[in-house]
Amino acid sequence: MGLYGEQILPRVVNCACGLKSVAPLRRRVCEGLEGDVVEIGFGSGHNVPFYPQAVTRVAAIEPAEVGWKLAEKRLRATSVPVQRSGLDGQSLPFEDDSFDAALSTWTMCTIPDIAAALAELRRVLKPGGTLHFLEHGLAPDEGVRRWQHRLEPMQKRIFGGCHLTRPVVDLLTAAGFTIAEVDVFYEEGSPKFLGADSLGAAVSP
Ligand SMILES: C[S@@+](CC[C@H](N)C(=O)[O-])C[C@H]1O[C@@H](n2cnc3c(N)ncnc32)[C@H](O)[C@@H]1O
């Protein structure tokens, strides 16, 4: 991956994802998580402070070594057991039906084969298990979408393969999830092409 991908990008992502302004969104997406949880694209653990007490353990999936190191202080401060359990959301090292819930925040944009990753989440979630998601993707407005298509090639090069135009809800539905709730909005303080967010919960049948 090279120096940029291994050392610099995870630090840039840590700063961008660590903005205080997104804390209320993290709190909302983590609400209602309980039992054994798998989190894909754990990054540097910015969701850790928001795990509810009802979470019994978290299996964290994250390829970036630096991201994991940057998570240390958040991991020391939580009483929820968190274990780094895998490197790739496209291939999860777990038995079928092992988790009560899953969590993904601003990660579905980056995983190369997102359909494979969602199929893996379906496989490892127990029937009725819920995927809590907070993702940026294809904007609701045509004018913003045109800019997303123009800027996506540059975004992918700079941000490790991050797509701007993934239709989050459609991808979840195509993977067989049932959307239980979703809120689609532009994130405050973010340019619209980057901040077209979907926050919600999707149930694995
Ligand atoms: C924009 S960051 C979001 C990090 C974190 N979820 C957050 O909200 O702060 C996207 C994360 O996805 C991770 N990622 C990239 N490819 C992945 C893959 N194939 N499987 C799992 N995670 C991946 C990246 O290393 C990065 O940490």
Side-chain angles (χ1 to χ4, degrees), residues 13 17 26 39-43 46-47 61-64 87-90 105-107 110-112:
V13 168
C17 289
R26 293 190 185 280
E39 178 171 358
I40 58 165
F42 178 78
H46 285 295
N47 290 321
I61 306 295
E62 172 55 51
L87 302 177
D88 186 0
Q90 298 160 124
T105 60
W106 294 301
T107 290
T110 303
I111 295 181

Side-chain angles (χ1 to χ4, degrees), residues 11-20 22-23 26 44 46 105-106:
R11 288 179 166 86
V12 172
V13 168
N14 177 50
C15 292
C17 289
L19 293 174
K20 285 208 170 71
V22 298
R26 293 190 185 280
S44 45
H46 285 295
T105 60
W106 294 301

Side-chain angles (χ1 to χ4, degrees), residues 34-51:
E34 57 183 358
D36 291 351
V37 175
V38 55
E39 178 171 358
I40 58 165
F42 178 78
S44 45
H46 285 295
N47 290 321
V48 172
F50 303 100
Y51 294 157

Side-chain angles (χ1 to χ4, degrees), residues 4-138:
Y4 177 72
E6 279 173 22
Q7 298 293 332
I8 299 173
L9 183 58
R11 288 179 166 86
V12 172
V13 168
N14 177 50
C15 292
C17 289
L19 293 174
K20 285 208 170 71
S21 56
V22 298
L25 298 178
R26 293 190 185 280
R27 189 177 303 284
R28 270 177 71 192
V29 73
C30 289
E31 256 168 31
L33 284 171
E34 57 183 358
D36 291 351
V37 175
V38 55
E39 178 171 358
I40 58 165
F42 178 78
S44 45
H46 285 295
N47 290 321
V48 172
F50 303 100
Y51 294 157
Q53 283 299 314
V55 172
T56 43
R57 73 175 173 102
V58 173
I61 306 295
E62 172 55 51
E65 209 55 54
V66 168
W68 192 250
K69 287 206 182 81
L70 292 170
E72 269 169 14
K73 72 171 189 293
R74 284 177 279 279
L75 291 171
R76 274 198 303 273
T78 183
S79 58
V80 175
V82 180
Q83 187 167 29
R84 189 179 185 184
S85 304
L87 302 177
D88 186 0
Q90 298 160 124
S91 171
L92 297 175
F94 309 117
E95 301 283 314
D96 296 358
D97 303 343
S98 345
F99 291 93
D100 301 293
L103 176 63
S104 174
T105 60
W106 294 301
T107 290
M108 284 170 55
C109 50
T110 303
I111 295 181
D113 186 346
I114 187 58
L118 293 175
E120 277 294 84
L121 287 177
R122 282 279 316 277
R123 182 182 67 74
V124 303
L125 277 171
K126 295 174 186 170
T130 304
L131 166 60
H132 291 224
F133 59 90
L134 167 55
E135 300 289 344
H136 75 89
L138 191 65

